[in-house]
């Protein structure tokens, strides 16, 4: 630890009060990211929450670029902004989320949640600032997260976890299909009552437009 | 760059996501807040990987793994939310209290949620 501190002291050309250009850029993008994140969790329009999430995740991609992790930044843009937010928007549409302001977007325990979040933020900020007061990141030299470096370390040292991760993705894919398909045709009493119970609302859901249709058309 | 910048930003993003998970009512908004928390962890991993100059770049590899696991999590989570919506006609997590240990079954809900017993009754029918 003392070696790390000494190295940090050697590679620390400036202090708090003379930020470099990359620090100013990081700070500005960080403020925008944090504002978008706060809007995501506080807005009352559900679709706007997903769109603010796009801003927050895009800001984080810029932060990765500023930290010279280039490949992570593009993966972030591709996967989070490109697929996960689109998936969330599809989920909002399939569950018939109200367009416009919904007055009950926050539950009744939001003040307890706010207290917990502010207490956790205060404690963690205090601990982190106290711990890394004298630590500087040396961003000079070759980029540490370029696509070449990432590919080399991923397929040279991390091949086995990578393959295990592909198995996990396959399992998640199969699990999502199993969860979202209709039940078997011999379960028709349970299925009929479940479909009729919410007052026809689920029968008109756009994902399953023919809940009253014969089940053979949907369960493959 | 000072290490405190990315660390403090990650802390604040994590706590924003924590507030969202605790305070939101819609299940899909809770999933969005979980994504914010995972992204805060990713920012920490990248920052510490660049700081420590790890030769294996374990932080960046773990970040890629976290992104993939987040994609799997959001797929499974949305499938569960859609299944619950199809069965119950609602995706409000405040109303999904069938397994709650209420002290009094005559008054299981708060005063802000008067439609919940009827919802549960017709879901159980």
């Amino acid at each position: 630890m003392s070696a790390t501190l000494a190295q940090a002291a050697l590679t620390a050309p400036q202090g708090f009060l003379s930020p470099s250009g990359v620090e100013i850029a990081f700070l500005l993008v960080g403020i925008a990211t944090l504002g978008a994140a706060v809007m995501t969790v506080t807005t009352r329009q559900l679709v706007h929450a997903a769109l603010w999430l796009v801003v927050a995740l895009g800001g984080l991609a810029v932060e990765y670029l500023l930290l010279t992790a280039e490949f992570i930044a593009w993966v972030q843009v591709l996967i989070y902004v490109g697929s996960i937010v689109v998936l969330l928007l599809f989920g909002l549409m399939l569950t018939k989320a109200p367009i416009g302001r919904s007055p009950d977007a926050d539950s009744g325990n939001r003040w307890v949640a706010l207290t917990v979040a502010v207490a956790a933020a205060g404690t963690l900020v205090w601990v982190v600032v106290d711990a890394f007061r004298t630590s500087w990141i040396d961003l000079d030299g070759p980029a540490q997260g370029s696509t070449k470096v990432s590919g080399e370390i991923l397929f040279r040292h991390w091949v086995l976890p990578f393959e295990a991760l592909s198995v996990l993705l396959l399992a998640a894919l199969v699990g999502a299909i199993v969860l979202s398909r209709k039940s078997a045709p011999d379960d028709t009493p349970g299925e009929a009552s479940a479909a009729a119970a919410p007052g026809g609302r689920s029968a008109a859901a756009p994902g399953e437009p023919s809940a009253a249709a014969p089940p053979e058309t949907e369960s493959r | 760059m000072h290490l405190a910048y990315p660390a403090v930003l990650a802390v604040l993003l994590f706590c924003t996501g924590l507030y969202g998970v605790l305070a939101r009512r819609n299940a899909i908004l809770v999933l969005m807040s979980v994504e914010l928390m995972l992204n805060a962890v990713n920012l920490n991993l990248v920052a510490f990987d660049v700081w420590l100059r790890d030769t294996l770049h374990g932080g960046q590899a773990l970040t890629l793994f976290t992104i993939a696991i987040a994609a799997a999590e959001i797929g499974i989570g949305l499938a569960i939310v859609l299944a619950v919506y199809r069965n119950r006609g609602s995706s409000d997590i405040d109303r999904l209290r069938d397994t709650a240990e209420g002290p009094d079954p005559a008054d299981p809900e708060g005063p802000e949620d008067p439609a919940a017993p009827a919802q549960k009754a017709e879901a159980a029918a």
Side-chain angles (χ1 to χ4, degrees):
Chain A
M1 193 59 199
S2 63
T4 316
L5 284 180
Q7 181 200 0
L10 280 180
T11 60
Q14 65 249 339
F16 274 118
L17 296 179
S18 59
S20 62
V22 65
E23 282 177 341
I24 295 174
F26 193 95
L27 193 64
L28 292 178
V29 178
I31 288 171
T33 303
L34 189 63
V38 170
M39 285 301 292
T40 301
V41 298
T42 54
T43 180
R44 292 190 179 279
Q45 310 193 24
L46 305 185
V47 181
H48 285 193
L51 299 180
W52 280 113
L53 189 66
V54 171
V55 179
L57 300 178
L60 268 170
V62 178
E63 305 281 41
Y64 293 152
L65 275 181
L66 289 176
L67 284 170
T68 70
E70 170 195 355
F71 183 66
I72 306 281
W74 299 125
V75 166
Q76 168 97 3
V77 171
L78 275 178
I79 295 186
Y80 272 108
V81 182
S83 73
I84 287 186
V85 175
V86 173
L87 207 58
L88 285 169
L89 282 172
F90 268 104
L92 281 178
M93 284 190 285
L94 286 179
T95 56
K96 289 194 176 302
I99 306 294
R101 302 172 65 86
S102 59
D104 56 347
D106 290 331
S107 68
N109 53 5
R110 61 182 306 233
W111 295 111
V112 181
L114 190 63
T115 307
V116 168
V118 167
T123 310
L124 283 173
V125 164
W126 179 44
V127 168
V128 160
V129 168
D130 194 36
F132 303 117
R133 202 173 46 221
T134 57
S135 304
W136 273 266
I137 301 176
D138 187 14
L139 290 177
D140 296 333
Q144 301 189 50
S146 64
T147 310
K148 182 173 182 292
V149 175
S150 296
E152 280 178 355
I153 58 110
L154 203 58
F155 290 108
R156 183 170 295 163
H157 303 290
W158 298 92
V159 171
L160 204 57
F162 189 77
E163 296 300 327
L165 193 71
S166 65
V167 176
L168 183 136
L169 273 180
L170 180 67
L173 183 68
V174 174
I177 292 174
V178 168
L179 277 175
S180 58
R181 67 178 288 199
K182 295 271 189 185
S183 54
D186 50 353
D187 283 348
T188 37
E191 184 190 4
S193 67
R201 270 188 294 172
S202 75
E208 55 275 5
S210 57
E216 295 88 16
T217 62
E218 286 157 353
S219 64
R220 284 172 287 154
Chain B
M1 184 191 292
H2 204 288
L3 184 57
Y5 287 101
V8 169
L9 178 62
V11 163
L12 293 178
L13 276 180
F14 185 87
C15 292
T16 309
L18 180 66
Y19 168 75
V21 167
L22 291 178
R24 283 303 202 177
R25 192 188 288 259
N26 194 318
I28 296 179
L29 292 179
V30 172
L31 285 177
M32 285 185 203
S33 307
V34 170
E35 294 301 312
L36 276 180
M37 295 167 82
L38 285 168
N39 270 283
V41 174
N42 284 347
L43 181 62
N44 251 341
L45 284 172
V46 170
F48 279 86
D49 181 84
V50 176
W51 176 49
L52 293 172
R53 294 193 164 272
D54 188 10
T55 52
L56 289 186
H57 285 295
Q60 297 190 21
L62 273 176
T63 305
L64 290 174
F65 294 166
T66 311
I67 289 175
I69 288 174
E73 173 253 335
I74 206 75
I76 294 288
L78 276 180
I80 292 174
V81 169
L82 286 183
V84 167
Y85 179 78
R86 202 161 53 199
N87 280 332
R88 306 293 175 90
S90 165
S91 59
D92 287 354
I93 53 177
D94 281 1
R95 295 183 182 174
L96 303 175
R97 289 188 174 179
D98 286 355
T99 58
E101 291 186 1
D104 186 7
D107 187 20
E109 313 294 334
E112 77 280 0
D113 217 9
Q119 186 73 38
K120 190 187 301 181
E122 70 182 2

